[in-house]
Amino acid sequence: MPKFVISLFPVCIVPLSLTDCFCCRDDEDTFKILIATDIHLGYLEKDAVRGNDTFVTFDEIMKCAKQNEVDFVLLGGDLFHDNKPSRKAMHNCMEALRKYCMGDKPILFEVLSDQAVNFGNSKFPWVNYQDENLNISIPVFSVHGNHDDPTGADGLCALDLLSCAGMLNHFGRSLSVEKLEISPVLLQKGSTQIALYELSSPSTMVKCKVVFLYPLSKHGATNYIPEQFLDDFLDLVVWGHEHECKIAPVRNEQQLFYITQPGSSVVTSLSPGEAVKKHIGLLRVKGRKMNLQKIPLHTVRQFLIQDITLMDYPDIFSPEQPNVTHKVQAFCQQKVEEMLEEAEKERLGNPQTPEKPLIRLRVDYSGGFESFNTMRFSQKFVDRVANPKDLLHFTRQREAKDGMRDEGIDFEALLSRPSSEVLQLRVEDLVKEYFQTAEKNMQLSLLTEQGMGKAVQEFVDKEERDAIEELISYQLEKTQRYLRERHVEASEEKIDEEVSVGLRG
Amino acid sequence: MPKFVISLFPVCIVPLSLTDCFCCRDDEDTFKILIATDIHLGYLEKDAVRGNDTFVTFDEIMKCAKQNEVDFVLLGGDLFHDNKPSRKAMHNCMEALRKYCMGDKPILFEVLSDQAVNFGNSKFPWVNYQDENLNISIPVFSVHGNHDDPTGADGLCALDLLSCAGMLNHFGRSLSVEKLEISPVLLQKGSTQIALYELSSPSTMVKCKVVFLYPLSKHGATNYIPEQFLDDFLDLVVWGHEHECKIAPVRNEQQLFYITQPGSSVVTSLSPGEAVKKHIGLLRVKGRKMNLQKIPLHTVRQFLIQDITLMDYPDIFSPEQPNVTHKVQAFCQQKVEEMLEEAEKERLGNPQTPEKPLIRLRVDYSGGFESFNTMRFSQKFVDRVANPKDLLHFTRQREAKDGMRDEGIDFEALLSRPSSEVLQLRVEDLVKEYFQTAEKNMQLSLLTEQGMGKAVQEFVDKEERDAIEELISYQLEKTQRYLRERHVEASEEKIDEEVSVGLRG
């Protein structure tokens, strides 16, 4: 089989060894695949203005899949914002899936791979459209992201609930903790064959000590998947996790594959990358050719961002003027008005777009200027913008540069750099350091560095409030059981002794 | 239509004006209904020994429904223990429903009532077996209980997720907040017609100020549904909420209807009522006749409870003896051994029953005896009982009498007593009292008595940790919006003024 669709996290890869993009008609040999990532259902769901944004847009995405009569939907992770989605988020998700993905439309492709392996973590380890009790018209295949990955003793994630309900096919969970086994989902439509891979999620990587494009500083460069292995093999990478829409496929000259980054369908940070118009992709694959059509999302709340540097306007104001702050304020107000006007114009053609846009004005006030009360300033726009609380942001030159980091990783640059350069300091390192200095601390002798590192990371990254508590309870329980099995009497010394034997064993 | 099945919370009512119980064969006119209540999925799910008990028993119950080829399953509330069930609890629930309730078995009864009314709160307001995309073999109808009732701004409960996934039919949610509208689910099989009512859940009662069998002290006796209304009308009450199995239908002589209380399928408190062998019911209804077959549950962990009063054994020990505590301890140990032996004997015939039983020995040590360290005592049984931590319970005479309350409400006695006698002091009263004395407290002027009372009750009754926080956020948000809409400047005095106007309006 010469064709592959590969999905990898934080990268999803759709591979094709594609020789040429093509304009194709829909026929019996052409896969039509709707591609979206980072939908973040439930993001800010308690916000009075923005609370329903993610649900409305997910509805638009799934409706679009139905209207375009796609063969399947491929989701690249972070369908949910919270690791434990609220009832409302789960309910809205199920509603859209049941509404748009069930029905009589026949499925015109087959699964060639071993489904018991592909969906081995499910209690119903087969593709949902082949379940004789479910009438699925559009199967959804999804990997999990870093927000909605499996946690807890049961190793379940939110997608597993959908999968158990027969509403989604969660693939790409490595069955082995020891080694990285990549079992693609192989699909065939007419004469076209593709493969879906999830090369690895961060948790898989941590477990397997295999790292690719998402390095952890504690592993050496030898743990990487060699790039020459990948470039023989990939055709298109669907990159998840990053929120900026860079959906138009970009050819990577070193590796000779294409990359598409659909980006998120909701603005979760007020950074420039998120201001890029949001799209999803309609990917057509026929034989060894592919075409990716950009589909703009109409329900996404507009987001406009602008930077001004006060020093750039010496004719208008200087720090010495007595009423300079008033002048700056008026100037900023005018800028916001302009952005609102621009948003309003653009919105006119799109009745589905929410009325109040997200607006951010970043004001560099270095050079002796003073900041002013942003709350009072925002008050004026409280009815016209969706984010009055963080409309205005003061920066100084140094900060502004830091701010640029928000724009996300330039994956092309990353790919061409040696791996050692892209190392980042991560939470694990802090935990490791703690364990190195506190190694003799008996109070923590039941907690391993690895376990605690993972729990802390979950706590920080995924808003998983119970992660640390759960780990501790789990370890305590385990130790107690261990002691009970050995009938250890409740003397402290003996317990310490047994515990250290147990941990070594 | 002369026949009814009524479900009411905390009572479920299955009505029949039944003239006689009957031994019936299964035929085209006979409804076969599996009845269970208070399954409490997820109760103690983190306990190393008992963690899976509720899931295993739910599996047994649903398997039993399938093996008996019932027409439908009727659940009387508290399917889940936590208002926000864990992922594991939800996953296990879905797994059992998909495994046992989907398939090709034809459904031989019809829904006669207006489904848009019966299931009006659902996004898919029709019975699941009529959905053309779902192949349902055994529909499950359920009311919610006090543990899993709707909460939060979205008014969803855990059952609504199952309902949205097409796995369950959640009925009995009153659409109107103002008045109590009881819209039964009317079912017909051959010539037999039945009706399922949920007369009211506690939340409906609070909202509607209609109270029946579950009185709130702040409403007068005039708010009760007159009993003479009910007795023209009911045939069988399926009483939920109470955990003691009293499943054999009891005829209520005043009201001329039958009552069955299936009881819970898991022991959630170590009280005598819970030690009664757990059953579910197989109800057959034909024309105006019915028969309720008790089905013992085999997977339920055994629970044995015994009371001893030390004063009753003057020949063995008296408080004056120097080593009396040792003697008492040996005596208690022997009692526990006897209970363990009894449990073991009974368990021999039931390979499905978990190995370690729940054991409680209540020791009345009044009369000058001293208690001893229960932890050390329990240590001896740590491998043989499921509840070493609370194996032994010391009481004195007064306490022991209080302890009798655990056995649950005697509903027959309740029904025959005048309503005014059965009033209980409830959490709402405490809140009311607080608001009466603190009425002028400006700090709480945004919170209404009703809202706060409800939140406190949720916090207490349903382990709903976020209820109070959610209420406060909601009120704050509402107030802020109100102020914004009126362009109130941020002066404290003006805000106070506007708020009091707003609350009056």
Side-chain angles (χ1 to χ4, degrees):
Chain A
M1 186 188 341
K3 318 275 169 270
F4 296 93
V5 175
I6 303 191
S7 137
L8 175 130
F9 188 87
V11 183
C12 290
I13 302 181
V14 184
L16 262 184
S17 295
L18 81 169
T19 42
D20 255 328
C21 289
F22 75 124
C23 289
C24 61
R25 289 163 308 155
D26 300 343
D27 60 28
E28 69 278 7
D29 296 320
T30 304
F31 268 105
K32 276 173 81 177
I33 308 162
L34 191 103
I35 295 179
T37 73
D38 300 275
I39 290 162
H40 284 264
L41 287 171
Y43 175 71
L44 282 193
E45 66 183 302
K46 292 188 177 180
D47 186 284
V49 177
R50 300 158 74 184
N52 284 318
D53 286 6
T54 58
F55 307 133
V56 170
T57 300
F58 185 56
D59 191 271
E60 181 186 7
I61 293 170
M62 297 315 293
K63 195 178 195 170
C64 175
K66 186 173 178 170
Q67 284 170 341
N68 282 284
E69 298 183 323
V70 300
D71 290 299
F72 65 90
V73 173
L74 178 63
L75 302 180
D78 287 353
L79 173 58
F80 294 99
H81 182 72
D82 294 306
N83 187 281
K84 291 185 179 163
S86 74
R87 193 135 69 205
K88 186 179 177 187
M90 188 53 82
H91 193 269
N92 277 287
C93 179
M94 285 179 166
E95 186 190 340
L97 290 173
R98 184 166 167 195
K99 199 158 113 190
Y100 297 115
C101 301
M102 298 192 95
D104 287 332
K105 183 179 87 61
I107 306 289
L108 302 172
F109 68 90
E110 289 172 85
V111 180
L112 303 176
S113 47
D114 182 351
Q115 300 188 29
V117 173
N118 294 149
F119 310 113
N121 281 284
S122 171
K123 297 285 181 177
F124 305 92
W126 49 84
V127 71
N128 64 347
Y129 77 81
Q130 286 183 357
D131 192 299
E132 55 191 10
N133 296 320
L134 299 166
N135 196 28
I136 302 292
S137 53
I138 303 178
V140 177
F141 292 90
S142 183
V143 299
H144 58 260
N146 62 322
H147 277 258
D148 53 9
D149 72 335
T151 57
D154 46 346
L156 293 171
C157 71
L159 297 186
D160 293 323
L161 283 184
L162 300 173
S163 163
C164 188
M167 292 180 150
L168 179 140
N169 304 289
H170 178 203
F171 73 102
R173 298 184 58 177
S174 182
L175 291 173
S176 160
V177 177
E178 293 306 311
K179 56 177 182 164
L180 185 61
E181 289 186 337
I182 307 163
S183 300
V185 179
L186 306 178
L187 308 175
Q188 172 155 5
K189 183 178 181 185
S191 61
T192 299
Q193 294 182 325
I194 56 178
L196 299 168
Y197 280 87
E198 188 238 15
L199 268 189
S200 33
S201 69
S203 64
T204 319
M205 286 192 293
V206 169
K207 283 180 198 150
C208 305
K209 313 213 168 198
V210 171
V211 178
F212 176 61
L213 290 177
Y214 199 81
L216 305 178
S217 63
K218 71 183 191 186
H219 305 304
T222 51
N223 280 321
Y224 285 70
I225 294 174
E227 285 175 2
Q228 60 273 30
F229 166 74
L230 285 172
D231 72 358
D232 282 349
F233 172 86
L234 303 185
D235 294 289
L236 178 68
V237 176
V238 179
W239 190 291
H241 190 62
E242 296 300 330
H243 281 204
E244 180 171 352
C245 179
K246 296 180 176 176
I247 198 166
V250 172
R251 189 174 172 90
N252 177 286
E253 293 306 328
Q254 280 88 23
Q255 276 77 36
L256 302 173
F257 56 81
Y258 282 74
I259 299 173
T260 174
Q261 176 178 302
S264 71
S265 57
V266 60
V267 173
T268 64
S269 74
L270 301 180
S271 59
E274 295 267 28
V276 176
K277 179 90 185 136
K278 303 287 188 190
H279 290 81
I280 50 174
L282 184 54
L283 177 70
R284 286 181 174 83
V285 180
K286 181 178 184 175
R288 298 182 70 86
K289 294 183 175 182
M290 75 143 205
N291 169 288
L292 199 147
Q293 178 187 339
K294 282 172 75 166
I295 301 180
L297 290 169
H298 297 294
T299 59
V300 175
R301 194 174 291 279
Q302 295 164 289
F303 170 43
L304 290 87
I305 184 165
Q306 199 177 333
D307 290 328
I308 54 173
T309 303
L310 297 183
M311 284 197 297
D312 293 349
Y313 303 89
D315 297 344
I316 306 180
F317 27 63
S318 76
E320 290 76 32
Q321 285 171 305
N323 60 346
V324 61
T325 304
H326 254 284
K327 278 193 170 176
V328 170
Q329 216 163 326
F331 186 78
C332 291
Q333 199 170 328
Q334 189 200 324
K335 286 289 168 198
V336 173
E337 289 289 357
E338 284 168 15
M339 283 196 273
L340 279 169
E341 207 171 310
E342 190 189 332
E344 184 62 19
K345 263 188 214 156
E346 189 199 305
R347 203 180 58 80
L348 275 181
N350 284 309
Q352 285 178 280
T353 308
E355 273 189 33
K356 297 179 184 176
L358 295 161
I359 299 282
R360 166 146 285 190
L361 184 65
R362 296 198 295 196
V363 181
D364 182 344
Y365 69 117
S366 47
F369 289 95
E370 276 179 19
S371 63
F372 51 84
N373 187 325
T374 58
M375 284 300 283
R376 193 180 299 259
F377 179 85
S378 304
Q379 206 65 26
K380 298 186 182 81
F381 300 100
V382 89
D383 285 326
R384 299 163 67 199
V385 305
N387 62 322
K389 282 176 195 163
D390 47 16
L391 171 60
L392 203 66
H393 184 59
F394 284 104
T395 62
R396 292 194 203 242
Q397 269 173 346
R398 205 181 50 82
E399 276 184 60
K401 268 184 202 157
D402 286 353
M404 296 302 279
R405 279 208 199 148
D406 289 352
E407 293 182 47
I409 300 164
D410 177 346
F411 49 78
E412 279 220 83
L414 264 186
L415 282 169
S416 60
R417 261 192 264 162
S419 337
S420 56
E421 277 186 27
V422 288
L423 305 180
Q424 287 178 309
L425 186 72
R426 291 169 54 84
V427 177
E428 292 94 72
D429 301 300
L430 301 177
V431 174
K432 188 183 180 181
E433 202 180 339
Y434 172 80
F435 274 90
Q436 276 169 347
T437 56
E439 212 160 50
K440 302 290 168 215
N441 187 336
M442 284 311 287
Q443 292 185 308
L444 273 170
S445 60
L446 300 184
L447 300 171
T448 60
E449 179 201 331
Q450 200 196 1
M452 195 64 188
K454 199 163 160 262
V456 171
Q457 200 190 340
E458 278 172 13
F459 183 80
V460 175
D461 289 357
K462 291 159 231 167
E463 307 182 17
E464 178 57 78
R465 284 182 296 175
D466 302 331
I468 295 171
E469 194 189 324
E470 273 174 12
L471 171 75
I472 291 173
S473 313
Y474 171 74
Q475 282 289 359
L476 201 64
E477 196 65 57
K478 209 175 83 176
T479 310
Q480 285 168 341
R481 219 178 320 145
Y482 173 83
L483 290 175
R484 263 184 244 128
E485 278 161 16
R486 276 153 201 76
H487 303 283
V488 178
E489 286 293 325
S491 113
E492 251 186 55
E493 254 173 61
K494 277 202 181 168
I495 288 177
D496 280 353
E497 198 181 301
E498 283 286 336
V499 163
S500 51
V501 173
L503 289 180
R504 263 179 271 135
Chain B
M1 183 187 344
K3 319 273 171 269
F4 296 93
V5 175
I6 303 191
S7 140
L8 175 129
F9 189 88
V11 185
C12 290
I13 301 181
V14 184
L16 262 186
S17 296
L18 80 168
T19 44
D20 254 329
C21 288
F22 75 124
C23 288
C24 62
R25 290 164 308 155
D26 301 342
D27 61 26
E28 68 278 8
D29 296 320
T30 304
F31 268 105
K32 277 172 80 176
I33 307 163
L34 190 102
I35 295 180
T37 73
D38 299 275
I39 291 163
H40 284 265
L41 287 171
Y43 174 70
L44 282 194
E45 65 182 303
K46 291 187 179 183
D47 187 282
V49 177
R50 300 157 74 183
N52 283 317
D53 285 7
T54 58
F55 308 132
V56 170
T57 300
F58 185 56
D59 191 273
E60 182 186 6
I61 293 170
M62 297 315 293
K63 195 178 194 170
C64 175
K66 186 173 179 173
Q67 283 170 342
N68 282 285
E69 297 182 322
V70 300
D71 290 301
F72 65 89
V73 172
L74 178 63
L75 301 179
D78 287 353
L79 174 57
F80 294 99
H81 183 73
D82 294 306
N83 188 280
K84 292 185 180 162
S86 74
R87 192 136 69 204
K88 188 180 176 185
M90 188 53 83
H91 193 268
N92 277 286
C93 179
M94 285 180 167
E95 186 190 339
L97 291 173
R98 185 166 166 194
K99 199 157 112 189
Y100 297 115
C101 301
M102 299 192 94
D104 287 332
K105 184 178 86 62
I107 306 290
L108 300 172
F109 68 90
E110 288 173 86
V111 180
L112 302 176
S113 48
D114 184 350
Q115 301 189 29
V117 173
N118 294 149
F119 311 112
N121 281 284
S122 170
K123 298 287 180 176
F124 305 92
W126 49 84
V127 71
N128 64 347
Y129 77 81
Q130 285 183 357
D131 191 299
E132 54 192 11
N133 296 321
L134 299 167
N135 196 29
I136 302 292
S137 53
I138 303 177
V140 177
F141 292 90
S142 184
V143 300
H144 58 259
N146 62 322
H147 277 258
D148 52 9
D149 73 332
T151 57
D154 45 346
L156 293 171
C157 70
L159 298 185
D160 292 323
L161 283 185
L162 299 174
S163 165
C164 188
M167 292 179 151
L168 180 141
N169 305 289
H170 179 204
F171 74 103
R173 298 184 57 174
S174 181
L175 291 174
S176 160
V177 179
E178 294 306 312
K179 58 177 180 166
L180 185 60
E181 289 185 338
I182 307 163
S183 301
V185 179
L186 306 178
L187 307 176
Q188 172 154 4
K189 182 179 181 184
S191 60
T192 300
Q193 294 182 326
I194 56 179
L196 298 169
Y197 280 87
E198 189 239 13
L199 269 188
S200 29
S201 68
S203 64
T204 321
M205 287 191 293
V206 170
K207 284 180 199 153
C208 303
K209 313 214 171 197
V210 171
V211 178
F212 175 61
L213 292 176
Y214 199 83
L216 305 178
S217 63
K218 71 183 193 186
H219 306 304
T222 51
N223 279 322
Y224 286 70
I225 295 174
E227 286 175 4
Q228 61 273 28
F229 167 73
L230 284 173
D231 74 358
D232 282 349
F233 173 86
L234 302 185
D235 293 289
L236 178 67
V237 177
V238 178
W239 191 290
H241 191 60
E242 296 301 329
H243 282 204
E244 181 171 352
C245 179
K246 295 181 176 176
I247 198 166
V250 172
R251 190 175 171 91
N252 178 286
E253 294 306 328
Q254 280 87 21
Q255 276 78 37
L256 303 173
F257 55 81
Y258 282 75
I259 298 174
T260 174
Q261 176 179 301
S264 71
S265 57
V266 61
V267 173
T268 65
S269 75
L270 302 180
S271 59
E274 294 267 28
V276 176
K277 179 90 187 138
K278 303 289 188 189
H279 291 81
I280 51 174
L282 183 56
L283 177 70
R284 286 182 173 82
V285 180
K286 182 177 184 174
R288 297 181 70 84
K289 296 184 174 182
M290 74 143 204
N291 168 288
L292 199 146
Q293 178 187 338
K294 283 172 74 168
I295 300 180
L297 290 170
H298 298 293
T299 59
V300 175
R301 194 174 290 280
Q302 295 164 288
F303 170 42
L304 289 87
I305 184 166
Q306 199 177 332
D307 290 327
I308 54 174
T309 303
L310 297 183
M311 284 196 299
D312 293 350
Y313 304 88
D315 297 344
I316 306 180
F317 27 64
S318 77
E320 290 78 29
Q321 284 172 304
N323 60 346
V324 59
T325 305
H326 255 283
K327 278 191 171 179
V328 171
Q329 214 164 326
F331 186 78
C332 291
Q333 199 171 329
Q334 191 201 323
K335 287 288 170 200
V336 174
E337 289 289 355
E338 283 168 19
M339 283 197 272
L340 279 169
E341 208 172 309
E342 189 189 332
E344 184 63 20
K345 263 187 214 153
E346 190 199 304
R347 202 179 58 79
L348 276 180
N350 284 310
Q352 285 179 281
T353 308
E355 275 189 32
K356 299 180 185 176
L358 295 162
I359 300 282
R360 165 146 286 191
L361 184 64
R362 296 198 296 194
V363 180
D364 182 344
Y365 69 118
S366 48
F369 291 94
E370 277 180 13
S371 64
F372 51 83
N373 187 324
T374 58
M375 283 301 282
R376 194 181 299 259
F377 179 85
S378 303
Q379 204 67 26
K380 298 187 182 80
F381 299 100
V382 88
D383 285 324
R384 299 162 67 199
V385 306
N387 63 322
K389 282 176 195 162
D390 48 15
L391 170 58
L392 202 66
H393 184 58
F394 283 103
T395 62
R396 292 194 205 241
Q397 270 174 344
R398 205 182 50 82
E399 276 185 58
K401 268 184 203 157
D402 286 354
M404 298 302 278
R405 279 206 198 150
D406 289 351
E407 294 182 46
I409 300 165
D410 178 347
F411 49 77
E412 278 220 84
L414 265 185
L415 282 170
S416 60
R417 262 190 265 163
S419 337
S420 55
E421 276 186 28
V422 287
L423 303 179
Q424 287 177 307
L425 185 71
R426 292 170 51 86
V427 176
E428 294 94 72
D429 302 300
L430 300 176
V431 174
K432 189 183 181 183
E433 202 180 337
Y434 172 81
F435 274 90
Q436 277 169 346
T437 56
E439 212 161 46
K440 302 291 169 214
N441 186 335
M442 284 310 287
Q443 294 185 306
L444 275 170
S445 60
L446 299 184
L447 300 172
T448 60
E449 179 201 331
Q450 199 197 3
M452 195 65 188
K454 198 163 161 263
V456 170
Q457 201 190 338
E458 278 173 11
F459 182 80
V460 174
D461 290 357
K462 290 159 233 166
E463 307 182 14
E464 178 58 78
R465 285 182 296 176
D466 302 331
I468 295 172
E469 194 189 324
E470 272 174 13
L471 171 74
I472 291 173
S473 311
Y474 171 75
Q475 282 290 1
L476 200 65
E477 194 66 55
K478 211 175 81 177
T479 311
Q480 285 169 341
R481 221 178 319 147
Y482 173 85
L483 291 175
R484 263 185 245 127
E485 278 160 16
R486 277 150 198 80
H487 303 282
V488 178
E489 287 290 327
S491 113
E492 252 186 55
E493 254 174 63
K494 278 202 179 167
I495 287 176
D496 280 352
E497 198 182 301
E498 284 285 336
V499 164
S500 51
V501 173
L503 290 181
R504 263 179 274 136

